[in-house]
Amino acid sequence: MLTPPSEPAPLLPGPVRRVAAWCLVVLLVAGVGLIGVRLCEELRTAVVPVLLALLGTALLGPLHRRLVQAKLNRSLAAGVTCAAVVAVVGGAAYIVVAALVDTGDQILASLKQAGRSLSEHFGAAGTSLDDLASNARELMGKFGGTAASGVISGISVMGEVIAMAVLALLLVFFFLRDSHRAVGTLRSLVPRQSGDTVEAMARRAYEAVEGFMRGTTFIALIDALCITVGLLVLRVPGALGLGALVFVGAYIPYLGAFLSGAVAILVALADRGFVIALWALGVVLAVQVLEGHVLQPVIQSRTVQMHPAVVMLAITAGASVAGILGMLLAVPLTAAAFGVVAELRGRYASSADGGPEAPPASPSAPEPFS
């Protein structure tokens, strides 16, 4: 009786093959991600307005929904929402710019004084700070010239920014007006058997971005108000400008709060002395403790929770790709990615355990990702 030939032994053990397979997957994902980043960088004039419009839609979605529930036409509700955001952002920008213009020289002078004071005690470190404050305008001019030289076809940086802002505003209008069609459009682009999974992933990503934007805006407002009031009580010069800096910096987690708080403390040290600087440090630390232990857990409890190390890595990667704009976009995009991963993990984990899959989102919901 003939015996069947035995199968040849594998060249590599099972654990080694599994590690090799995972390495191949990681390299493939990294390659696709690198190509995607390069394409976005080349098409930044179109990609950046889309990303900003998605963030704006996530932030303004609740207002638009309330207007629609009040029996207002969807187009009119979207137009009113966009007009409101233009008025609010324009007014806030005017206040911030006016405050920074009025107090900018005072803040720079205080920083120079702080640099001279530190140089008397710490030598070269303080001298470097003094030089940085003295040459701030020259550095900004050089940065602006470098950025302008890289714009295609000789378009100025300001013109490009205005064009992207207008495009983003128009996209916000269309995204809000046609938000009820997003589910149908998304399902039409994917295979029918994957529609429920893709829709659930999109909902989780959108909910993460929406929660992040609303929570961060509210937290930034509270931080700016508390620190501004504290600096006004301490009679620190340029309190309004420093408060505006805190509000803008709050959109860059951890790093923005650290930098804006450090500037406020240095200004207090230069103009009001060591004791007032300690009080300013106490105000900044108290606000940060309030944010970390009260505001963040309460306000952003429904968003994707990320470890501070992940946030810092995301900010660093965003800065290396797109500068300040990349730092602003890195965290919400990472939150969206974490939401997608959490949805996939929940679905496939339930399938692997033999339990029922997560129920698909209803395609007849009045709003797509609310």
Side-chain angles (χ1 to χ4, degrees), residues 56-79:
T57 304
L59 182 61
L60 301 172
L63 175 60
H64 179 261
R65 289 195 289 269
R66 288 188 177 89
L67 293 177
V68 172
Q69 291 171 0
K71 308 301 182 182
L72 204 62
N73 180 271
R74 297 192 66 89
S75 298
L76 183 58

Side-chain angles (χ1 to χ4, degrees), residues 139-157:
L139 291 175
M140 289 301 295
K142 291 181 179 179
F143 176 78
T146 304
S149 63
V151 179
I152 303 175
S153 302
I155 302 175
S156 65
V157 173

Side-chain angles (χ1 to χ4, degrees), residues 172-311:
V172 168
F173 172 80
F174 291 120
F175 288 170
L176 289 173
R177 189 194 66 178
D178 300 328
S179 58
H180 61 296
R181 303 176 183 173
V183 171
T185 303
L186 186 64
R187 284 178 170 271
S188 67
L189 298 175
V190 299
R192 180 173 301 178
Q193 63 272 17
S194 304
D196 293 337
T197 302
V198 173
E199 180 185 343
M201 291 165 53
R203 287 182 182 275
R204 287 293 294 268
Y206 186 82
E207 288 170 1
V209 175
E210 186 178 39
F212 173 82
M213 290 301 297
R214 285 188 294 175
T216 302
T217 300
F218 192 54
I219 291 173
L221 182 61
I222 295 177
D223 287 354
L225 287 176
C226 292
I227 290 182
T228 301
V229 170
L231 296 179
L232 287 174
V233 171
L234 296 174
R235 292 185 294 174
V236 175
L240 293 178
L242 294 172
L245 185 63
V246 170
F247 179 81
V248 175
Y251 282 93
I252 305 176
Y254 304 111
L255 183 61
F258 172 77
L259 293 178
S260 58
V263 172
I265 295 168
L266 287 174
V267 172
L269 174 65
D271 212 87
R272 299 284 292 149
F274 183 74
V275 176
I276 300 298
L278 287 180
W279 279 102
L281 175 62
V283 169
V284 172
L285 291 179
V287 171
Q288 295 305 315
V289 169
L290 175 66
E291 175 185 339
H293 292 81
V294 178
L295 299 180
Q296 289 280 359
V298 172
I299 296 176
Q300 291 190 339
S301 59
R302 295 184 179 181
T303 61
V304 178
Q305 300 296 324
M306 292 182 292
H307 194 275
V310 176
V311 175

Side-chain angles (χ1 to χ4, degrees), residues 49 53 78 82 163-177:
C82 292
M164 289 192 296
V166 173
L167 180 57
L169 183 63
L170 292 176
L171 289 175
V172 168
F173 172 80
F174 291 120
F175 288 170
L176 289 173
R177 189 194 66 178

